[in-house]
Amino acid sequence: MGQYLGLDSSTQSLSATVIDTDTGKVVLERSLGFGEQLAHYKAPNGFIPDPDPALRHSDPLMWVEALEKLLRELRAAGLDTARIRGISGAGQQHGSVYLKRSLSQVGGWRPGSELVTQVRPLLSRPTSPIWMDSSTGEECAEIAAVVGGNASVTQVTGSRAIERFTGPQIRKFFKRAPAAYGQTEEIHLVSSFMASVLIGATSGIDLGDGAGMNLLDLASGSWSQKMLDATAPGLRDKLPPPIPSHTRVGAVADYFVDKHGFTSGTPVVAFTGDNPSSLIGMGASRPGAVVISLGTSDTVFAAMSQPRTDPRGYGHVFGNPAGGFMSLICFSNGSLARDEIRRRVGLDWEAFAQAIVHETQPGNAGNLMLPYFVPEITPRLVEPKLQLFGGEDFVALRSPAEAARAVVEAQALSMRYHSDWIGEERSTIRATGGASRNVGILQVLADVFQAELRPLSVANSSALGGALRAAQAVEGCEWEELYARFSAPDADLCVQPNPKARAAYDELGARFGERISVLLGD
Ligand code: XUL
């Protein structure tokens, strides 16, 4: 029993959640926004602005600096790091970090100098492509062609060749910068990189996040030679080994003992992807519960009761950190799209929620939006295209209330439409992410899915998942024991569906499906 630290290195922030298994309480939650608190990286939304919307990279040094800054803030807020008995965490999925030397060869961090100064010379690629990058269409086609088509890629890896997945990104690096690729000794996911930084040595890649690379053979849990060969030469030697998510990858490095007060020998458990970690944080690792996560990306995911893949080719199969697999559908036009509309019509978040609940009706009088501001993942739209359809009086975004409802309804309809293949019971849905505190957004989701929406009481389910995974690995306790204490929904925020909305959404849903087909040229 004791305290456990969970971290979540996501697109726009690094967050920490500390739990205490003696008291059954969350001790501390803290988040550090990259845009505001590390402004010198000039990444207001966590990625380096690029006029080409297909190119989305971040500076891995920003994540390292954030780690030290957040640890300092946690201690300033009263956390006694010496009491932490285990650490785990999560990273935004698919993003990759390229190093000239394997971290296990570096021999740990020197106590005297900042971590960023020590990591900088190790980078063989100064920036990291992240999950928002959609610039690898060509590489996806090449990889699929070599292995006999996307049906084969899906059969082995659980997803077709996907632009943001790590394999196609590695292939692009190999093609565009062969010399730098040649000098690269080790390639990490954001998750395994953060774990490696903490232990000052190489951490393996956990099976949960590793499944988002188009490189893992899901059936055997090992790298697929066929996929490696189709991706880039010599790749096996550059990848850390795939490992079960509960693996203790090492002890916290002496650097963190000296500088941040941890107890020597504190175990670090493999980091995983933010979505697999949320599956744990939400207490949803057993089949039967569907989760909607409303963050920079919106995701719909669920532990799988039986093997399935998405016939439309957008969804994925990732490893479930508690064992088995999870299905996931990702929408890139999540919070940034909601925020864009909110700003354009001049509403604050409270007014946005009120406008939805009090000033408009389910179905929005037939006013429908296709909410694509940035390249979309589901459905695959490389050129973003905002479109509005509706009655004559629906002039683009002139009515703030209708615009607010239109963007949220479109997102919810898209989630319903694209998650029909996962085949799990959807009468109760757990919700997480910043927007899961917004009653307007929750009500639309409840009405569109005709399901009770239950938001988690803890702010960051992915960081919580890290803390729970650390506790489970160290104490060997049952997941359900931890879920009962830490993953309870916030009863005050539960939202019931309005049965009268069903017909409106069946109609709007059908129109949404038609519009999507036209947009995709089906
Ligand atoms: C999932 C995905 C996103 C990122 C966000 O496949 O790409 O949800 O994990 O951090």
Side-chain angles (χ1 to χ4, degrees), residues 8-11 91-94 130-132 162 164-165 209 212 273-276 293 296-299 316 318 328-331 377:
D8 174 31
S9 179
S10 72
T11 317
Q92 52 175 312
Q93 297 197 250
H94 320 297
I130 63 162
W131 65 276
M132 299 172 98
I162 301 278
R164 71 189 190 285
F165 276 32
D209 210 12
D274 51 2
N275 293 294
S293 168
T296 310
S297 64
D298 289 343
T299 52
H316 315 298
F318 296 148
L328 178 136
I329 308 104
C330 178
F331 304 85
I377 290 167

Side-chain angles (χ1 to χ4, degrees), residues 319-350:
N320 175 342
F325 298 98
M326 64 184 280
S327 50
L328 178 136
I329 308 104
C330 178
F331 304 85
S332 40
N333 283 272
S335 66
L336 295 181
R338 283 185 289 275
D339 201 36
E340 176 70 27
I341 291 286
R342 182 191 67 76
R343 283 191 299 105
R344 282 195 200 183
V345 298
L347 298 175
D348 63 24
W349 283 116
E350 177 58 28

Side-chain angles (χ1 to χ4, degrees), residues 427 442-443 446-447 450-454 493-499:
S427 59
L442 288 181
Q443 188 63 57
D447 291 348
Q450 287 294 300
E452 183 186 77
L453 253 284
R454 313 183 80 190
L493 279 175
C494 277
V495 172
Q496 298 298 328
N498 170 4

Side-chain angles (χ1 to χ4, degrees), residues 4-8 15-17 84-91 191 194-195 198 206 245-247 249 266-272 277 462-474:
Y4 298 89
L5 168 63
L7 295 165
D8 174 31
S15 306
T17 298
I84 298 291
R85 290 197 53 214
I87 308 171
S88 188
S191 57
M194 295 304 280
L198 273 171
D206 98 296
S245 309
H246 56 77
T247 309
V249 294
T266 304
V268 176
V269 175
F271 278 39
T272 188
S277 191
S462 177
L464 173 63
L468 297 182
R469 292 179 51 248
Q472 199 276 338
V474 171

